[in-house]
Amino acid sequence: MGKKEKVRKHYQKPKINQVELAMDEAVLTNCKWDAADTSGKNSKGCGFAACKTTFGS
Amino acid sequence: MEPSETLGREASASVSERGLQEFIVNIAGISIFFLFDKSPLEFGIRNIESEFITDKPPQIKLQMHNDGFPEKKQDKKIFDSGSTWSLYRNQGMYLLQDDSLDPGSSVEKLVILESDFKSGDIYIKNDLFNQNLIPDPLGYPLNQVLMILLLSHLGGLLFHACGIEDRGLGYLFLGNSTHGKSTMARLWSENQATVLNDDRVIVRKKDGELWMYGTPWHGDFAEVSPKGIPINRIFFLRHGKRNKAVPKEDREAVSMLLTRCFPPLWDKKGMDDSVGLCHLIANKLPCYELSFIPNSQIINFVRNI
């Protein structure tokens, strides 16, 4: 039985992928409370959908 | 029958004369116990109703206070969003607050977590203590930042995504704002599918599979489910002139996953784990970029992929 031929992979230089984040979304700062009729920041009256959430509704 | 897990149970509880002073919320298999130090009746809180309420044993216990804030100095800044929240440490504990660390900031909610993430305290200003805070006492964005912290500790990742269960299959549609997640949720709902959530979905490893779980934090489409199901396909949404699904290679898919999730950017190990989970998702699951026209034809198009 012949020797199993070793298959060598061509060397590929590692590549750096730069990932661009939408920062206001990635760090949860995109509340639009200043544009809405609110009595306080982050309130349920905020215009941003996530702020309007009624838990589990 | 495909496996699925209902994490919460349809539940409601009325505040009795004695006063209901505690409840447990279960999101993605993580149970959080909230305990009041006074009867919620005093604040007009009369009922607690949510499918996310559970009787499972809690993994984290949080005591709620409304009688002033403790004096806590910042030993070490961890992360400051600059506006809606910040995180820092004091004597080994984690402190999460609903404003920046700037001297002029006005903090109305403060969470203090022990370093093992098993217990902590929530301080809420008295005039904010009302029915709207129940059963999600923290509100946006602290509720989600707390979950990001817990997931970095317990495993899992919060995605900007819409989760759908259709005919026993789990589809995860990822996208940032305006990419069509709520539209997709509405279309699937009109076609007898279950919407887990149209905006925030948690992915965790379970029994060698990748599962997705509904959260309470929805977008424009308000129906949510606490259910957990295995994921069968991943779609990256974009608007198009025709319905088209283009398979994505692992490397591209990992990049697209990373830009559509909420990783713990302040935590090196947490970031390593997040990238690792994105790699696993891209390796194990078929991923597609999905261009679509917002009408019901997309339903059969996806079913036939």
Side-chain angles (χ1 to χ4, degrees):
Chain A
M1 203 168 133
K3 259 190 177 175
K4 197 176 175 185
E5 206 172 297
K6 200 173 178 183
V7 182
R8 280 174 178 263
K9 278 187 181 175
H10 284 291
Y11 173 74
Q12 282 187 320
K13 196 178 171 185
K15 288 177 187 166
I16 295 174
N17 269 5
Q18 191 163 338
V19 176
E20 282 201 26
L21 298 177
M23 284 314 289
D24 56 342
E25 298 204 2
V27 298
L28 298 165
T29 58
N30 59 343
C31 175
K32 296 170 184 166
W33 54 268
D34 53 348
D37 176 24
T38 60
S39 52
K41 65 183 176 177
N42 310 338
S43 74
K44 299 279 173 183
C46 169
F48 181 48
C51 304
K52 287 188 288 185
T53 299
T54 301
F55 189 110
S57 62
Chain B
M1 194 176 151
E2 289 292 317
S4 71
E5 181 185 338
T6 300
L7 290 164
R9 60 183 165 81
E10 194 74 40
S12 65
S14 295
V15 180
S16 67
E17 278 186 21
R18 202 159 52 90
L20 179 69
Q21 290 189 251
E22 59 188 52
F23 60 90
I24 302 169
V25 165
N26 191 323
I27 302 167
I30 297 172
S31 303
I32 306 171
F33 178 88
F34 294 98
L35 176 68
F36 296 83
D37 59 357
K38 286 184 191 167
S39 168
L41 276 170
E42 288 181 36
F43 305 98
I45 296 167
R46 305 206 170 267
N47 59 70
I48 295 171
E49 200 168 329
S50 167
E51 55 270 65
F52 289 86
I53 297 230
T54 184
D55 50 12
K56 289 192 174 188
Q59 282 139 301
I60 173 166
K61 292 183 179 179
L62 297 173
Q63 172 88 43
M64 296 178 61
H65 310 270
N66 72 305
D67 49 2
F69 279 38
E71 278 289 319
K72 290 286 176 193
K73 285 182 183 157
Q74 172 196 325
D75 283 349
K76 186 186 173 194
K77 176 173 114 176
I78 297 178
F79 192 88
D80 189 349
S81 75
S83 55
T84 51
W85 66 275
S86 54
L87 179 67
Y88 58 103
R89 293 196 81 165
N90 176 282
Q91 296 176 333
M93 290 181 288
Y94 290 88
L95 285 87
L96 173 63
Q97 65 183 35
D98 67 338
D99 208 335
S100 77
L101 292 169
D102 292 341
S105 66
S106 112
V107 177
E108 293 174 336
K109 294 177 190 171
L110 174 70
V111 185
I112 301 180
L113 288 172
E114 295 294 334
S115 57
D116 61 2
F117 290 98
K118 288 185 178 167
S119 62
D121 294 274
I122 297 176
Y123 296 88
I124 295 177
K125 284 210 169 158
N126 202 24
D127 56 350
L128 292 177
F129 220 85
N130 56 42
Q131 183 73 53
N132 286 342
L133 289 174
I134 304 300
D136 186 14
L138 289 171
Y140 178 86
L142 296 194
N143 48 12
Q144 293 171 46
V145 179
L146 175 66
M147 182 53 74
I148 293 166
L149 278 168
L150 295 176
L151 288 170
S152 72
H153 192 64
L154 299 166
L157 202 44
L158 178 66
F159 279 95
H160 208 175
C162 164
I164 300 291
E165 182 189 34
D166 176 62
R167 300 176 176 180
L169 294 178
Y171 302 132
L172 186 62
F173 299 96
L174 296 117
N176 286 325
S177 296
T178 74
H179 286 183
K181 299 183 297 298
S182 297
T183 304
M184 200 52 100
R186 178 179 53 78
L187 292 169
W188 283 96
S189 173
E190 288 165 358
N191 284 272
Q192 287 74 52
T194 301
V195 177
L196 302 186
N197 190 289
D198 73 332
D199 200 46
R200 300 286 196 266
V201 176
I202 289 170
V203 175
R204 303 186 75 190
K205 277 190 284 185
K206 187 186 168 193
D207 303 330
E209 284 188 286
L210 289 156
W211 284 52
M212 63 176 173
Y213 300 88
T215 72
W217 310 305
H218 60 78
D220 289 336
F221 188 85
E223 287 170 31
V224 295
S225 166
K227 231 176 166 181
I229 58 166
I231 311 170
N232 295 91
R233 302 202 203 312
I234 299 279
F235 297 98
F236 302 105
L237 292 179
R238 58 177 294 179
H239 295 291
K241 290 185 178 163
R242 65 187 180 95
N243 294 332
K244 185 180 167 190
V246 180
K248 286 283 153 190
E249 287 181 10
D250 292 3
R251 199 174 53 188
E252 269 183 300
V254 171
S255 296
M256 294 172 95
L257 287 160
L258 281 170
T259 52
R260 290 158 180 81
C261 69
F262 303 96
L265 298 162
W266 52 88
D267 173 3
K268 187 179 180 309
K269 184 188 175 298
M271 282 305 291
D272 287 347
D273 293 345
S274 300
V275 174
L277 184 58
C278 289
H279 265 285
L280 188 67
I281 294 169
N283 282 327
K284 282 198 82 160
L285 297 171
C287 297
Y288 304 88
E289 185 172 61
L290 183 70
S291 309
F292 76 104
I293 305 170
N295 64 39
S296 62
Q297 287 179 3
I298 191 62
I299 305 299
N300 279 332
F301 182 85
V302 168
R303 282 174 178 160
N304 290 326
I305 290 173

